[in-house]
Amino acid sequence: MAGRKEEELNGVTLLGNQGTQYVFEYAPHVLEVFDNKHPGRDYFVKFNCPEFTSLCPKTGQPDFATIYISYIPDQKMVESKSLKLYLFSFRNHGDFHEDCMNIIMNDLIALMEPRYIEVWGKFTPRGGISIDPYCNWGRPGTKYEQMADYRLMNHDLYPENIDNR
Amino acid sequence: MAGRKEEELNGVTLLGNQGTQYVFEYAPHVLEVFDNKHPGRDYFVKFNCPEFTSLCPKTGQPDFATIYISYIPDQKMVESKSLKLYLFSFRNHGDFHEDCMNIIMNDLIALMEPRYIEVWGKFTPRGGISIDPYCNWGRPGTKYEQMADYRLMNHDLYPENIDNR
Amino acid sequence: MAGRKEEELNGVTLLGNQGTQYVFEYAPHVLEVFDNKHPGRDYFVKFNCPEFTSLCPKTGQPDFATIYISYIPDQKMVESKSLKLYLFSFRNHGDFHEDCMNIIMNDLIALMEPRYIEVWGKFTPRGGISIDPYCNWGRPGTKYEQMADYRLMNHDLYPENIDNR
Amino acid sequence: MAGRKEEELNGVTLLGNQGTQYVFEYAPHVLEVFDNKHPGRDYFVKFNCPEFTSLCPKTGQPDFATIYISYIPDQKMVESKSLKLYLFSFRNHGDFHEDCMNIIMNDLIALMEPRYIEVWGKFTPRGGISIDPYCNWGRPGTKYEQMADYRLMNHDLYPENIDNR
Amino acid sequence: MAGRKEEELNGVTLLGNQGTQYVFEYAPHVLEVFDNKHPGRDYFVKFNCPEFTSLCPKTGQPDFATIYISYIPDQKMVESKSLKLYLFSFRNHGDFHEDCMNIIMNDLIALMEPRYIEVWGKFTPRGGISIDPYCNWGRPGTKYEQMADYRLMNHDLYPENIDNR
Amino acid sequence: MAGRKEEELNGVTLLGNQGTQYVFEYAPHVLEVFDNKHPGRDYFVKFNCPEFTSLCPKTGQPDFATIYISYIPDQKMVESKSLKLYLFSFRNHGDFHEDCMNIIMNDLIALMEPRYIEVWGKFTPRGGISIDPYCNWGRPGTKYEQMADYRLMNHDLYPENIDNR
Amino acid sequence: MAGRKEEELNGVTLLGNQGTQYVFEYAPHVLEVFDNKHPGRDYFVKFNCPEFTSLCPKTGQPDFATIYISYIPDQKMVESKSLKLYLFSFRNHGDFHEDCMNIIMNDLIALMEPRYIEVWGKFTPRGGISIDPYCNWGRPGTKYEQMADYRLMNHDLYPENIDNR
Amino acid sequence: MAGRKEEELNGVTLLGNQGTQYVFEYAPHVLEVFDNKHPGRDYFVKFNCPEFTSLCPKTGQPDFATIYISYIPDQKMVESKSLKLYLFSFRNHGDFHEDCMNIIMNDLIALMEPRYIEVWGKFTPRGGISIDPYCNWGRPGTKYEQMADYRLMNHDLYPENIDNR
Amino acid sequence: MAGRKEEELNGVTLLGNQGTQYVFEYAPHVLEVFDNKHPGRDYFVKFNCPEFTSLCPKTGQPDFATIYISYIPDQKMVESKSLKLYLFSFRNHGDFHEDCMNIIMNDLIALMEPRYIEVWGKFTPRGGISIDPYCNWGRPGTKYEQMADYRLMNHDLYPENIDNR
Amino acid sequence: MAGRKEEELNGVTLLGNQGTQYVFEYAPHVLEVFDNKHPGRDYFVKFNCPEFTSLCPKTGQPDFATIYISYIPDQKMVESKSLKLYLFSFRNHGDFHEDCMNIIMNDLIALMEPRYIEVWGKFTPRGGISIDPYCNWGRPGTKYEQMADYRLMNHDLYPENIDNR
Ligand SMILES: [Ca+2]
Ligand SMILES: [Ca+2]
Ligand SMILES: [Ca+2]
Ligand SMILES: [Ca+2]
Ligand SMILES: [Ca+2]
Ligand SMILES: [Ca+2]
Ligand SMILES: [Ca+2]
Ligand SMILES: [Ca+2]
Ligand SMILES: [Ca+2]
Ligand SMILES: [Ca+2]
Ligand SMILES: [Ca+2]
Ligand SMILES: [Ca+2]
Ligand SMILES: [Ca+2]
Ligand SMILES: [Ca+2]
Ligand SMILES: [Ca+2]
Ligand SMILES: [Ca+2]
């Protein structure tokens, strides 16, 4: 039935695994990768993650966000169940919205060494104002670094309508 | 009544055919083409395909996606009923989302030898996260190769809002 | 400036309070009430609560929901900041979706002794299926009990469109 | 040109008036009425008022709401520019959401003596929760009183989707 | 080709007519009717009319509305092009929103003698507030009179969201 | 594979048939039925038909509509491909919108002898006004006749927003 | 952490289980139940299931639908992962849309013996027409049987807009 | 009243004309033009045409599309009523979607000799897949030819969401 | 209270003025300007104008549009109430859609001498087709002229979906 | 729990503070900053602010807007609660829409010395017209200045649909 053979799933230990442990303290080590079978081609993979929650570092109040992660893989690709567990590990972690997005991107860069990556968080409002941080990164000294500049320059020229309802 | 004459429909055997066989194992050979009557002009054809389903290669669980395929034809154009049968042939095939999109694009390149093509899959979530792979291709050594670079660089600057409902 | 006088805010200790403690274990005691100034009139108050999260009692995986709570007050009304803290207290609590909704309604009945109340949870999907429990209650032996029957009979004749995206 | 004659606009002093004074302290006396020319018929008039703002009675923080007012006139109808000025007079007034809606309805009952009236406020969230009070009233001892009961019983069986964005 | 025969279109003089005169002063006489071919059955016909404009009777400023007209025909049905011309005749007519809706319904009752009719106008805002009058009517002494009561009692329990944008 | 056996598809000649003839003159005889396997239960079947087009009986201009057909079957159910061919047969037929809806309902009553049926057409505008006829029918002398009355009385209390764009 | 204790999860064997077998032939036996902890109260549970696919019994072509299942539990409640597996078992099963909905409802009635249940399928179009069957059931001889009649009579007075895009 | 004088409407014979003939066989000769009064300026004119229908060249089945036509005029501009008649002339014409779009653009180029033009058709699905062809053209040897290349390269980076409902 | 001082409102005679005259014949002289307080910065001002109506120059039939006007001011800025009166002055003026948009832009250029300006009209359909003209202008010999070229080249790559409802 | 340590929150005095004073006169001094922990990276932070209200400088009438603020931080980042208090300080301040947006951007430039910033206000209509000013700024003599030019040139090519409802 399958296109991916067993050996092409080496290192994927969490997907379909029954005894999954949910860790709620910041845990970048849960991230797992598998091999990119199409490294000769630049292509995008996007993760839509509407179930992100963390804590305010000053007040301890829970924060909620939808996070969009897009990247161009090189040799390694992050496995999505491990990504889920990683994002769950912010559940009892306190940090500013802007810091969370940068940390997530840094961890994924360290994990996958992608060609390009971007992370966009869209939080629910506190005191009537919501905050949406966006960061991106291209491998230094390559065309992907210029890609990052270009995409930042063109970022979000059309902010979505927000009325807090 | 018709603009296309009978002989211009040569090779189109599936369209309007009663005894259609639905194959649910990966079957790229079902794809059929017809002649492009406007090869002197670059133009786009897009297929919207919201009825794609395949299997997870690890767990065997069905996956579901909407696939968008856009291409600039050269001499050959894929006939849409044969495209439908081809996409149905993934029904009992197991592969990662990212692999499916690359395979579909590869098969269409081999079939039509188009000037440019792109394939975007938007899957439903598993464990709260959904995955949307996008790949594209321009004929090497032509301006369409640069077109592919350009469109990748500009890809999806505005991710659609996703809340899993 | 104010219509509500200081003494009409008696018992409201959490609203505007700096040192708020966020409890993540089930804590119905944090709920607070204030007096209904219009008890001679039946009217509805609705709370829209899109930031609810709890845990699966079997797997420990986080669940997410939007909860809608509507009630007709009698003498007491729940203060909204205390309601927020109460809902946050499910953060590390494990229970089925159906049980959570019934528990929340039971706690609010015990707290406010309202004339009528209903609670509707709309969860994000697991395995492609999402669950939306709805329960309601009218004070036994009064017209509000019949109101509860009537509203249950008319509940959700038009389910919202769901495509998990 | 006009259907309404000058004398049918008696008492309408604010509409089209240049030197409008904007009062930001609760001022029910600014409300004005004109005659209902169709008193032989029951019909509805609805005001959509998305520019309502008041203050929290405890913290002084501004609150924002859209208010929907619907009524069946008897002999008098509220003039819409005076209604605007009246709603603006809550700008520096502090009261709970639930109290504001009841006060507005009481003032309009006293002003117009309508057959039926309802007022629905939809506020923006504080601490992730938004509050939507709804009250209504039918002239006691008439069929409009039963209408009020009926409409309350059928109120908001389909709460709108709220995600605070 | 046609189901309606020539003689069944008697009295329809405006439809398809080249030299249409557009009158911009209130002109109920332009309305035309044709025969209902299904008088043995109660059924609804609705007109959606988003191009209504009149003038404020006090200031002369243009007002704009979408009008929805629904009716159950008896023997006569209003022809839609004549209805268009009739609605255009309010272009330079000054009247309050509430009066316009009642006048339109009265004229259509006089014209068609329908079994039931209702008219709903939804105007654009002035000073941040928009006004939506709704009136209806059932033939007195028949079940359609009770239908009018019933529909008024159930009118607009779910006001559409309005934010003036 | 199948639940329906071959003999339960008796009379279904068009579904999957290659040599389908498309008739563009009013042709009620193309309609086909199959047996209802659940006659002991009242249930609804709805057809969404957004590809309806006919001609204006006076001017010959094409008209376009989406038609919604809902019914409770008795012993016979209309086969959907034959319904498609029937609706296509209005392509060169000229009739008023109101007449088309009544004719379609009459033909389906004659064909299926359903317990209940309703037909709602929503046309595109001519001269800025669009027309939406709705008719329904319940078997005379049964509870379904009262159902028709009830549904007509409750028909379309919330007309959809129309702005002709 | 949990509200549900281990013994209250007796019989729930599939949830969180690693070695899930996906069966693609009609398999009602995979359904599992757990105990309703709130049998003293009537309340609704809704499942949103946008990943349903079956086959046409005549042509073998895959069909796709979103299914909405709502019920009032009595003593037993269907476990959602087993419901997922049950719905997946239609993947290679051929039946008409109308038959599938009735079969699903029959199986859930046999499994749970609920007080009330309804099933609504919304399929994608074939030949420009889509079919949406809806069936419901209340326990015979109880008020839930009348509830079923009432809800059928009020079913889908506002068909959603469909344009096949 | 008018800005356009009578002589500036020379050649416009169909607009407002009573005896319009609707031709349903491909008829490019019905197209009419009027003079561009602003030839010193490059500007866009767009036609939204949601009422396009043609036939499948192989099966004869009707197809439906919305067509968007945008152009920069030079000396001549197409009159919109003649454009309507021209598009209606495809009603009984059989051609593939891709061919129809190219033919329409070719005819408008021959008619108007515009500086730039583009045509985008969005069809309803057959067999679950819909096809959207897009072609464009700039006057050869001018900057408008480069404009065509540029717009093709940037075409449809954000395909609209399609779910066939 | 104010940031703008009295003398900075010189020449603004219509805003807040009671005796406004509404002129319905083309009247560019009603336009008024005030000083740009930020001439050292390029910035955009957009007017959303959904209440535009004019007449067809050939048939006299009223036309309706929403107009979007965006500009980069130099020394002068158009006052919005005077803009409203100016747009109202097209009420009894007859011109083609394309001409109206060019005339409005020409008048605003003459009035304000802006750095850049664009005007987009979106009209309601006649005969099933709607027309949306767009024109723009940058000060000749400056970078704003190139800005106009650039924005025209990128204009409306994503036409909004139009279905005339 | 926290990622930000206490000393990294130096200068943040308002967040979580109980005795917040709400000032309703223009008060730029309430703005507070904290340190950017990722100054080595260009990234965006966006604030969605739908609760802005000020006064008309000529008439004193309240105005309402949603404001979108996006910036690339350098060393300092504005704290969001202080931003809320700053925006509230326009509550009784009178200024034209265009002036407010420029003032807000100027104050944030002075406060944070960002690399790039933009401010977009979207106001509710007065007299049927709404005004949306947009200004931006990049640090002079850096690539961010060119970024500002580029983003202005590409600003709002797709104005959102506005119908004042
Ligand atoms: Ca919103
Ligand atoms: Ca959402
Ligand atoms: Ca969604
Ligand atoms: Ca969808
Ligand atoms: Ca969705
Ligand atoms: Ca929302
Ligand atoms: Ca809104
Ligand atoms: Ca709106
Ligand atoms: Ca709107
Ligand atoms: Ca609208
Ligand atoms: Ca619309
Ligand atoms: Ca549509
Ligand atoms: Ca649709
Ligand atoms: Ca859709
Ligand atoms: Ca539309
Ligand atoms: Ca609109």
Side-chain angles (χ1 to χ4, degrees), chain A residues 53-64 90-97 126, chain C residues 17-24 51 81 84-85 88-89 91-92, chain J residues 1-4 6 9 15-17:
Chain A
T53 179
S54 59
L55 300 179
C56 174
K58 181 107 183 182
T59 65
Q61 176 169 19
D63 287 319
F64 292 84
F90 282 80
R91 193 172 178 88
N92 292 336
H93 179 75
D95 239 333
F96 278 153
H97 303 344
R126 291 293 172 261
Chain C
N17 193 318
Q18 180 174 7
T20 305
Q21 287 287 99
Y22 294 95
V23 182
F24 298 152
E51 301 184 351
K81 187 168 177 188
K84 176 181 76 168
L85 297 179
F88 280 168
S89 84
R91 193 173 178 87
N92 292 336
Chain J
M1 168 196 88
R4 284 258 166 184
E6 201 55 36
L9 294 169
L15 182 58
N17 193 318

Side-chain angles (χ1 to χ4, degrees), chain C residues 158, chain E residues 44-48 68-71 116 118-120 122 134 147 150-151 154-156, chain F residues 118 120-122 131-134 136 150-162, chain G residues 156-159 161, chain I residues 165:
Chain C
Y158 297 90
Chain E
F44 262 106
V45 179
K46 178 172 61 168
F47 298 105
N48 305 293
Y68 302 92
I69 301 170
S70 282
Y71 75 102
Y116 172 81
E118 67 189 16
V119 179
W120 195 347
K122 303 187 175 188
Y134 167 88
M147 188 182 193
Y150 177 83
R151 288 175 74 88
N154 284 282
H155 172 67
D156 198 28
Chain F
E118 67 190 16
W120 194 346
K122 303 188 175 188
I131 306 180
D132 297 355
Y134 167 88
N136 73 357
Y150 177 83
R151 287 175 74 88
L152 193 83
M153 188 170 66
N154 284 281
H155 172 66
D156 198 28
L157 288 157
Y158 298 90
E160 55 178 311
N161 273 328
I162 299 293
Chain G
D156 198 29
L157 289 158
Y158 297 90
N161 274 327
Chain I
R165 294 277 303 186

Side-chain angles (χ1 to χ4, degrees), chain E residues 80-100:
Chain E
S80 68
K81 185 167 179 189
S82 79
L83 177 63
K84 175 181 78 168
L85 297 179
Y86 168 66
L87 292 177
F88 280 169
S89 85
F90 282 81
R91 194 172 177 87
N92 293 336
H93 178 76
D95 241 333
F96 278 153
H97 302 345
E98 296 90 339
D99 293 334
C100 287

